[in-house]
Amino acid sequence: MADRLMLLDTASLYFRAFYGVPDSITAPDGTPVNAVRGLLDMIARLTVDFEATHLVACWDDDWRPAWRVELIPSYKAHRVERVVPGGVDVEETPAGLIAQIPRIREVLGLLEIPIVGAAEHEADDVIGTLATGAPMPVDVVTGDRDLFQLVDDEASVRVVYTARGMSKLEVLTDASVVAKYSVLPQQYVDFSVMRGDTSDGLPGVAGVGEKTAASLLREFVDLEGIRAAAADASAPMSATMRAKFAAASDYLDVAPTVVGVVRDLELGDFDARLRPVEGARREALEKLGAEWNLGGSVPRVLAALDAIG
C-alpha cells in the first residue's frame, strides 16, 4: 500500500459523533460514550476506505486564538461560554461531550495515533502545516469549509468533507471546489473573506454573497486585484460595488490573516504511521471497551489497523 497521510480535524469529528450517535449510549456509571464510539467508528471506516497509512489527530490547543480575536473581535464570539483573561476562552460545549474528551484522548493514545496541537493555534493551523509540503498524498477530514483552501491536486492534497454525514462524504479536489463555488482552491480564502461566515463571526462584505464574490474573483483574480479596482475610478466596477468595498476596508485589511490557515508551525517530531495494536495496549483497549460499553467500535478499529499492518 502506497503511503497516504490522513489529518483529522478532531473536534469537528467528535462534535459530529456526539450529535450523530444517541446519547443514550453510556458507560455503566452513566457517562455518555457516544462521541467515543462514533469517533472510533469514523477512524475505522476512514482509514480503510481511503487507504491511510499515516494518521494524525489534529487538536485545538486554542480554538479561538487571541491574535485572531485581536484582528476581528467578533471571531467565534458567539461560541464563548466564559472568557479567560490571558488564557484560552472556554467554548460552549455540551457537558456530555466535555466528559468524553479525556476518554477520546486515552483511546487515541492506546491506538498510538498522535494528538498534535500548537499553543495559540487551532487544529486548522496544525492541519495546514502538516498538509503543506507533506512527503505523501494527504486527505484532510473535516466539516469545516475553510479548509477547502488546502485542496491542491498538484500537491496531492484532498479534503474529505463530512458536513452531510459519514454516509455522504464528499471528496474535494481542484475540480470539485470549482464546481461547487466557481473559484479555485487558492482563491478560497479571498472568496470566504468576502462572503463572510456567521458560524465564525466573520461579517464579510455587506451585499456581497457567494455568486458576486466568485464573479469578482473571475474578473480580478484575487482580493488585492478587487480592492485595487475598487480604488481605481477607471476600472470596470460599479459605484455601488466600490462603495461596498470602501465601507469594508478595515475588515478586509485583516480578514485574510484570520481566515488563512498557518502553514509553518513548529510541531516537533512524532510518528504518524498506523500499526496493528498489539500486546498490552490491545488488552488495555479491549478492557476499556468493555468497561465503557464501547460495543463493536473497538473491534472494528482494531480490525482496521490489523489490515494496515
Side-chain angles (χ1 to χ4, degrees):
M1 185 185 295
D3 284 349
R4 178 172 286 276
L5 172 63
M6 178 168 283
L7 303 174
L8 303 183
D9 182 1
T10 315
S12 169
L13 297 185
Y14 65 58
F15 266 94
R16 175 161 295 280
F18 179 78
Y19 288 110
V21 179
D23 60 8
S24 57
I25 298 173
T26 64
D29 66 0
T31 303
V33 292
N34 53 334
V36 185
R37 272 200 189 194
L39 183 61
L40 287 176
D41 278 334
M42 288 178 184
I43 291 171
R45 177 181 167 187
L46 289 163
T47 53
V48 171
D49 288 359
F50 293 94
E51 299 183 332
T53 59
H54 296 68
L55 182 67
V56 180
C58 302
W59 205 263
D60 284 317
D61 278 11
D62 190 338
W63 68 280
R64 188 175 182 251
W67 59 270
R68 282 190 166 109
V69 176
E70 185 176 345
L71 294 173
I72 299 181
S74 62
Y75 182 65
K76 296 186 178 180
H78 60 294
R79 301 192 216 168
V80 177
E81 181 175 286
R82 179 166 50 87
V83 174
V84 179
V88 178
D89 292 341
V90 177
E91 184 178 12
E92 197 173 69
T93 306
L97 177 54
I98 292 172
Q100 296 182 67
I101 292 174
R103 292 182 169 181
I104 287 170
R105 293 184 68 98
E106 186 171 353
V107 296
L108 290 173
L110 289 170
L111 293 169
E112 287 195 300
I113 294 171
I115 298 170
V116 181
E120 300 179 354
H121 287 84
E122 301 172 56
D124 287 10
D125 302 313
V126 176
I127 291 168
T129 295
L130 293 175
T132 301
M136 64 188 78
V138 177
D139 286 323
V140 174
V141 185
T142 185
D144 185 352
R145 294 183 299 176
D146 283 343
L147 289 173
F148 292 176
Q149 65 187 272
L150 296 175
V151 171
D152 186 341
D153 284 2
E154 187 174 349
S156 297
V157 177
R158 308 183 298 188
V159 166
V160 179
Y161 190 47
T162 63
R164 298 174 63 203
M166 292 298 292
S167 62
K168 296 181 180 179
L169 295 175
E170 296 179 71
V171 180
L172 280 272
T173 61
D174 287 5
S176 47
V177 172
V178 172
K180 205 173 184 68
Y181 297 110
S182 299
V183 299
L184 295 166
Q186 56 265 38
Q187 295 174 305
Y188 192 84
V189 169
D190 292 347
F191 172 76
S192 182
V193 163
M194 288 185 284
R195 175 195 62 197
D197 189 341
T198 55
S199 69
D200 280 341
L202 299 174
V205 177
V208 174
E210 290 191 352
K211 289 183 179 179
T212 301
S215 175
L216 288 167
L217 286 168
R218 280 197 299 274
E219 186 166 4
F220 301 108
V221 181
D222 56 22
L223 184 58
E224 183 179 350
I226 295 168
R227 296 186 74 186
D232 180 358
S234 66
M237 182 181 288
S238 71
T240 301
M241 189 62 68
R242 292 180 199 282
K244 290 176 180 178
F245 277 86
S249 181
D250 289 347
Y251 164 76
L252 293 172
D253 285 343
V254 297
T257 301
V258 173
V259 175
V261 300
V262 178
R263 296 175 182 246
D264 59 357
L265 295 174
E266 291 292 335
L267 297 174
D269 295 327
F270 55 88
D271 185 356
R273 181 170 287 280
L274 291 168
R275 300 177 179 85
V277 181
E278 299 173 332
R281 288 187 300 106
R282 191 180 191 101
E283 291 175 8
L285 187 56
E286 290 172 339
K287 182 181 178 183
L288 289 180
E291 290 177 351
W292 296 352
N293 188 32
L294 297 181
S297 61
V298 168
R300 283 189 287 272
V301 76
L302 288 173
L305 299 189
D306 287 345
I308 292 168

